[in-house]
Each structure stands twice: as C-alpha cells, then as structure tokens.
Amino acid sequence: MRIQPRTEIVRLWHALASHTYAKNNWEWGGAEGADSLGDAEQLLSLIYPAQQLASLGVDRPADTAADVLRALDVFGNSQTIPMKLVQAFLEYMRAYRAEDGSPVFSAPARLIADDAPTRDQEELDVVPSYSVSLSVALSALGFIRSFRRQMQRKEANGAVDELEDLASARLTAAMVD
C-alpha cells in the first residue's frame, strides 16, 4: 500500500469544505457545538496544510493547483476561494470577542460536568483555546500577508485590513493573557 499524503489532504479538504460551507454560509461547530476552540480547529484544518506545502496554497490565485480547486470548489474558483477564507476568518475573529472587543478563549462545548455548566463556567477561558489561537492567528496573518500581494480587487482591502487587526489582537491576547 502506498501512502499519498497530498491526495489524502485534498480528499479531507473536499469533505470538510462540503460539510462546513453549506448554502453559501460557513457552518460553525462540530459534534460538540460551536466554540472558540473547535471553530479554530475547523479553520486550521483548511489553512494549515496550505501554509506548510506551497503546492497546496490558495493565497496565490494564479498558482492554485487544479486538484486543490476541485477540492474547494464549493467556495468557488481560484479568485473567490481566498476571499471566502478571509470571510471565514473574519467571522471567527468577530464571534470570539467580548463586548469591549477583547478576544475570548472560552470553549463551553468542551466542558464536561456532572451538572450543566453555569453561565460563569461557560465563559471561562480554557488553555487549549489559547494554544490553538496562536496557530489560527499566525495562520490568518501569514495567509493574508501573502494574499494581499496577489489581490486584484481593491474593495477586498477593507476585509483584509480588518482581519489583520483582529488576528493581531487575538495573537497578542493569546500570548500575554
């Protein structure tokens, strides 16, 4: 038996993209429900391999491989895929902020207790969320910095600028809190 990691990653992407992007909306949460940890893992499943292997990249639309385009076709074409990912990152970064705008690192879907967790317990930050937030923020920043050099539509700059600000704030908070 021959192991083909690229083929397996592309198959995984196709399944993940088809499941998470239904009806032109990102569907957050897994079996446990949406929270800052699980949703970050969902994003990382798509973006992390693309950043580790240039041949899987989607941040340079003209260079996106045909098998990657087929796997992520639910997001559109080589021009729209990066913007759909920017929008997903933005949704995530906006969703996991407190009223004052500071990032939150709670993961109530992961809490296990004999009784239902209280509201205060659900709002507690959890260490794994900090850890995964480092990866998701760094991935978002790396992705948009590369994609920005390739952008052809100026109207997308606002979304990319906002994502850069939110990802930087999340990264800083994850490192210092």
Side-chain angles (χ1 to χ4, degrees):
M1 181 165 105
R2 195 167 153 215
I3 297 174
Q4 299 176 318
R6 179 190 176 89
T7 301
E8 293 306 314
I9 289 170
V10 170
R11 283 185 191 164
L12 174 69
W13 276 358
H14 181 70
L16 181 63
S18 298
H19 177 75
T20 60
Y21 195 73
K23 301 175 189 152
N24 291 326
N25 287 309
W26 195 272
E27 299 290 329
W28 296 104
E32 295 90 15
D35 65 29
S36 68
L37 179 56
D39 292 350
E41 291 169 338
Q42 193 176 8
L43 283 171
L44 284 174
S45 296
L46 285 172
I47 201 66
Y48 191 77
Q51 290 186 308
Q52 298 305 306
L53 298 170
S55 66
L56 293 174
V58 295
D59 52 347
R60 297 173 316 277
D63 299 333
T64 306
D67 60 340
V68 171
L69 290 173
R70 281 190 303 276
L72 301 177
D73 65 354
V74 69
F75 297 129
N77 59 38
S78 65
Q79 300 297 315
T80 58
I81 291 170
M83 281 310 300
K84 297 291 183 181
L85 291 174
V86 166
Q87 291 303 319
F89 273 111
L90 273 173
E91 283 182 35
Y92 173 82
M93 298 291 175
R94 290 172 183 156
Y96 298 107
R97 292 182 1 181
E99 288 182 20
D100 67 359
S102 63
V104 296
F105 300 92
S106 60
R110 303 290 176 102
L111 296 178
I112 299 172
D114 291 336
D115 297 323
T118 66
R119 182 77 167 154
D120 287 342
Q121 290 170 328
E122 287 181 345
E123 292 176 359
L124 289 173
D125 294 337
V126 296
V127 172
S129 184
Y130 284 100
S131 174
V132 171
S133 285
L134 292 172
S135 295
V136 81
L138 288 169
S139 293
L141 290 168
F143 171 73
I144 59 174
R145 288 184 179 149
S146 176
F147 176 53
R148 180 175 287 166
R149 291 189 292 268
Q150 309 295 317
M151 287 175 54
Q152 297 175 2
R153 299 181 320 196
K154 296 298 178 202
E155 65 269 10
N157 278 334
V160 171
D161 290 343
E162 181 184 2
L163 178 55
E164 185 169 29
D165 291 344
L166 292 173
S168 294
R170 188 162 194 85
L171 177 62
T172 300
M175 290 190 306
V176 299
D177 281 353

